[in-house]
Structures are given as C-alpha cells and as structure tokens.
Amino acid sequence: MMKLRTKYILFVTILHLLTLGLTFFIFNEKRVYFIASEIFIIISLVIAIRLYGQLIRPIKMLLQGIEALKDRDFNVKFLPTGKHEVDQLINVYNQMIDQLRTERTQQEEQHFFLEKLIYTSPTGIIIMDHDELVQQINPKALQILGMDEKELIGNNIKELQHPLFEHAKVLKVGETITVKLSGITTYKLQKSHFIDRGFQRDFIMIEELTTEILAAEKNTYGKVIRMMAHEVNNTVGPVNSIIQSTLKSDELWHNQTDNQLNNALQVAFDRNQNLNHFMRNFADLVKLPEANKKQIDLNQLLDSIVQLMQVKAQDNNINLVYQSPLQPFYITADVQQMEQALINIVKNAIESIGNNGVIEFKVDTKKRQLMILDNGKGISTEQNLQLFTPFYSTKKDGQGIGLTLVREIMLNHGYEFSLKTIAQKQTAFTISF
C-alpha cells in the first residue's frame, strides 16, 4: 500500500512540475495563456489531492479492517463515505464482519454447550489427542475409574493401569464392548472419533449398566420364581395333606406286618417339606422388602453375629477374631436385613475355609468401612466374574441364593461392596457405608 501511495504522489508531482516548467516558455510571449495554464495546474492539483483522499484513504480504512480480522476482532465496522464504489466495498465488508461475528458467537455457544454437556454427562467421557494422549476427562469418568485427573491428563491410554483401560486398549473406533468387573459392576465401553482441524481424534465413552442389568435380571428371575412357587405350592400342599391323613389312619396299617409303605410315605412327606423350604428361600429373595433404616451400632451387631456363629465356627476349628472398639460406630440400616447379610457372609467364609482357619472383622471408622477377611481357598478369576450372579454357586449342592441375597440387601441400602481375593490365602468382603 505504501508503494502505491508513493507512486501516486510521485506521478502527480512530476506531472505538475513538468507542466509548470513548460508554462515558463510562454510567459513572455503570451501571458494570458500562462495565467490560464497556472489556473489549470492549480485546479489539477486540487483534483489530484481530492482523488487521493477519495481513493487512497478508503483503502487505508479497509486495511485497518483487515488488521482487525487478523486480530480476530469482529467488532470493527465502517460508515459509508458517500462514494458509490467505495460504499459498495464497505457494505460488503460490514456484511462479512456481521456474518463472522454471528458465526463466532454460535461457535462459542456450541463449544460452551458441548463443554457443559461433557462435564455434566452421566456417561464417562475420555477425549484423546492425535497421539492418543488423554487430553480431557469428565467427572463421571474420574468417578468410575477412581483416579485423579493429574494421573490421567497427558498420559497415553495404553500405558495407564486400570481394568477398564485393559479393554479400552484393544477397542477399535466404532466398536462397543460390555465389561464386567468385581462380579457385579458392568460397564459399556464405546470408542468413536471426531475431526478437529482436519485430524481425527478419538474419544471413549464409559457407561455404567449395573443398575439397568440388575433391575432386568431381578425382574426376570422374579417372574420365574413366582411361577415356580405357585406351581410347587399348588402341588405340595394338597399332596402333603393326603399323606398326613394317610399316615394318621390306624385302619390302613391294621394287620400290616411291616412299615415299608409307611416309611415310603414319610420319606415322600419329608421331601415335599424340603421342596417347600427350598422354594421359600427363593421366594424370600424376590419378596425382600424396602429397608426399614434406623441408626444402629455396627459394633453391637458384629458382637451378636460373632456369638451367633461361634458354635458353627468352633465345630470347624475356625477362630472368629473381632475386637469391639470402645466407641460406637453408627450406621443407618435395617438391622434384620444387615444381620442376615452378615450371617450369609460369615457362613460363606466358613465354607470356603473348611477346617482350621481364621475369620477376622476389621472396622475402619475413618473410611466408614467393614472388612471381613478369611484365609480360605480364595476366588479364581473365572469365579470372580460370576460372583453375585443369581443361582451361581461354587458348592456342589449350592443354590446360589446366599450371595444374591447379600447383593440385594446391600443394593437395598445403597452400600458399595466387593468380594475378592486380595492376597494369597486372604479373601475380603468389603462393605462401604
């Protein structure tokens, strides 16, 4: 722009100086023509100056607008000059500025909305850069992973240590997998991508499915159990009534020399009673009421559990270790349901040990946590994936009700819980209140 202005000024100056010089040749002979020439030169100079103002200054003004665009300042606009051609250019510039400002506002609003959506999303979201380094992670993902943001940002996802990352490493863009951890928590991992400044960037979504799966699972086995209980009760009740009437009849056994038929009927009656008891156990699982929560002292509850299970433990030469603190540890729970859950946990620990072992109760008041440790045979990886699954049992004649009932009671109270082998010959059932 400076070169063009210089050329214009230089051209006008040379032209007028040359014209002025030529007029001196007619100064002596024709002074009238000389005066007319001088007037013409003055008028020409004035026109040149005005043209400079009309052409060069608007261009300088537009250059200021270009500088504003370089600085991403979309608020600079120009007023019309009254010159048709320049005003058309100014009008186009002003329209462009308005459009750019509108688009930037929309882009910022969309970006803010997206950031807010990611931050408040109930789904965990991990966003990576071009090199698969974690660039952004929302609070839900941090909660699911149980890790601090500083441990994740800037690290390669393939180098991070977490069970979910072990599955995420092999996940391809567009794929979805379901992962089950600790026998109860289930997550859906999905990998996708978006384009950022022409480059593909990946992100992983982590959605917890535990609540939905447990609800669907309970609804399914609840219907099956209710149907089974209905059919069994309709059959066992009348049959037992007939058997009892027959067993009480003296006329049937008059002149009989042996009691084989009597014994057979008694066996049938006992088996029916066992079947009835078997179905009641399943029915109790379905009919578990809402927890009647009250403030209770966990230490007192554990004292009663230890006393209750002491005889069974001693029969298997198992030592129950619990030192009740002097200070009470209050929790909000349904005392009957919590008692049943703890009894089931201790029974499972005794059965896991078999004979000669230790079951220890540890209460952490700071973490508000209870750990029941046993030195039984432990839990294998395959068993860990099936824990708390309805009707799954590692025992030969197990019904798979005990841990399922514990699970329902814990969920009824909203407590976090886990069962896993934490070291060789050391398995821990942990409850966080």
Side-chain angles (χ1 to χ4, degrees):
M1 179 57 207
M2 291 300 294
K3 290 179 65 176
L4 179 62
R5 184 177 64 178
T6 303
K7 288 178 180 179
Y8 178 82
I9 294 173
L10 186 62
F11 171 75
V12 169
T13 302
I14 292 173
L15 181 63
H16 285 82
L17 286 175
L18 183 61
T19 306
L20 186 63
L22 291 173
T23 58
F24 278 102
F25 288 101
I26 59 174
F27 177 74
N28 294 324
E29 298 176 1
K30 297 181 180 181
R31 293 187 178 183
V32 176
Y33 289 156
F34 173 76
I35 295 172
S37 298
E38 292 299 316
I39 294 172
F40 173 78
I41 292 172
I42 293 171
I43 293 172
S44 176
L45 188 61
V46 171
I47 293 172
I49 293 171
R50 292 192 65 183
L51 283 175
Y52 176 83
Q54 292 175 4
L55 295 176
I56 304 300
R57 286 177 183 174
I59 294 175
K60 287 179 65 177
M61 184 171 59
L62 290 176
L63 277 177
Q64 293 175 358
I66 293 173
E67 291 298 322
L69 289 176
K70 287 181 181 179
D71 296 334
R72 297 181 179 273
D73 183 2
F74 302 143
N75 295 312
V76 176
K77 294 178 69 174
F78 300 116
L79 296 174
T81 62
K83 307 302 181 205
H84 178 70
E85 294 81 359
V86 176
D87 286 350
Q88 281 186 319
L89 188 59
I90 288 175
N91 185 46
V92 171
Y93 172 84
N94 288 341
Q95 288 179 357
M96 181 183 66
I97 285 292
D98 288 337
Q99 184 65 27
L100 287 173
R101 185 171 59 250
T102 301
E103 289 180 359
R104 186 175 71 170
T105 303
Q106 290 176 349
Q107 188 180 37
E108 288 178 348
E109 288 174 349
Q110 290 173 356
H111 179 74
F112 176 77
F113 172 73
L114 183 60
E115 288 290 322
K116 193 72 174 177
L117 188 64
I118 291 172
Y119 187 82
T120 59
S121 173
T123 300
I125 300 174
I126 303 173
I127 301 175
M128 295 164 286
D129 63 11
H130 317 300
D131 300 318
E132 290 198 337
L133 302 179
V134 177
Q135 187 181 53
Q136 186 178 358
I137 183 166
N138 71 341
K140 184 61 179 181
L142 292 174
Q143 179 187 343
I144 291 173
L145 296 171
M147 300 175 72
D148 189 77
E149 190 174 9
K150 295 179 181 178
E151 301 176 63
L152 299 169
I153 299 297
N155 293 312
N156 193 303
I157 192 170
K158 294 181 179 178
E159 298 174 356
L160 293 168
Q161 300 298 318
H162 191 279
L164 286 177
F165 286 134
E166 295 299 321
H167 297 276
K169 291 173 186 176
V170 297
L171 197 61
K172 296 179 181 179
V173 173
E175 285 186 344
T176 301
I177 59 172
T178 302
V179 180
K180 191 173 184 180
L181 303 179
S182 303
I184 182 168
T185 52
T186 305
Y187 299 98
K188 182 175 77 172
L189 301 183
Q190 183 176 358
K191 191 172 186 179
S192 189
H193 73 276
F194 63 98
I195 303 300
D196 180 23
R197 287 167 288 186
F199 293 94
Q200 177 176 307
R201 290 178 56 191
D202 299 337
F203 65 95
I204 295 173
M205 293 185 292
I206 309 173
E207 184 178 358
E208 187 171 355
L209 302 177
T210 308
T211 304
E212 291 83 354
I213 289 176
L214 291 179
E217 189 180 81
K218 186 174 182 179
N219 184 51
T220 302
Y221 72 67
K223 289 180 180 178
V224 174
I225 290 173
R226 282 190 289 269
M227 181 183 67
M228 290 170 58
H230 177 73
E231 294 300 324
V232 169
N233 289 335
N234 285 349
T235 303
V236 169
V239 170
N240 273 358
S241 179
I242 294 171
I243 292 175
Q244 279 185 310
S245 299
T246 304
L247 288 172
K248 291 178 181 179
S249 175
D250 295 332
E251 296 179 2
L252 181 63
W253 314 118
H254 190 66
N255 298 326
Q256 292 290 338
T257 56
D258 58 51
N259 293 326
Q260 290 183 353
L261 183 58
N262 188 8
N263 292 337
L265 289 173
Q266 186 62 49
V267 169
F269 179 80
D270 292 339
R271 291 301 300 163
N272 276 350
Q273 288 293 87
N274 289 338
L275 179 60
N276 212 12
H277 179 70
F278 177 83
M279 286 309 305
R280 274 203 307 271
N281 286 338
F282 282 112
D284 290 341
L285 184 62
V286 177
K287 296 177 182 177
L288 186 68
E290 287 293 322
N292 182 21
K293 297 179 183 179
K294 296 180 180 179
Q295 191 179 67
I296 62 173
D297 184 2
L298 181 63
N299 297 326
Q300 289 184 358
L301 181 59
L302 291 175
D303 280 330
S304 64
I305 295 296
V306 170
Q307 292 177 13
L308 181 65
M309 302 302 294
Q310 195 70 255
V311 175
K312 183 174 178 61
Q314 288 175 352
D315 290 343
N316 295 70
N317 198 26
I318 294 173
N319 187 24
L320 299 182
V321 178
Y322 174 61
Q323 293 182 347
S324 180
L326 297 176
Q327 297 294 328
F329 177 39
Y330 292 109
I331 63 172
T332 304
D334 185 313
V335 64
Q336 293 181 341
Q337 290 189 17
M338 278 302 299
E339 185 178 54
Q340 184 61 55
L342 293 173
I343 288 172
N344 284 5
I345 294 168
V346 175
K347 282 175 63 179
N348 279 351
I350 292 173
E351 291 168 358
S352 176
I353 294 171
N355 291 289
N356 303 317
V358 176
I359 298 175
E360 185 178 3
F361 300 82
K362 288 186 176 180
V363 177
D364 190 330
T365 55
K366 290 184 179 179
K367 294 183 178 179
R368 294 192 60 79
Q369 198 174 77
L370 167 66
M371 290 183 70
I372 302 176
L373 301 150
D374 70 73
N375 60 347
K377 56 187 178 183
I379 301 168
S380 66
T381 304
E382 294 77 13
Q383 291 172 345
N384 187 59
L385 294 174
Q386 297 294 330
L387 286 177
F388 303 104
T389 300
F391 318 127
Y392 171 79
S393 177
T394 57
K395 292 174 282 188
K396 184 179 179 181
D397 299 321
Q399 301 172 8
I401 296 178
L403 281 181
T404 305
L405 183 59
V406 171
R407 182 192 79 175
E408 293 302 317
I409 291 174
M410 293 298 119
L411 293 174
N412 224 9
H413 285 74
Y415 295 154
E416 293 183 6
F417 61 100
S418 65
L419 174 60
K420 54 187 175 183
T421 298
I422 57 177
Q424 188 174 5
K425 290 288 183 179
Q426 192 172 36
T427 300
F429 196 111
T430 306
I431 307 172
S432 298
F433 302 101

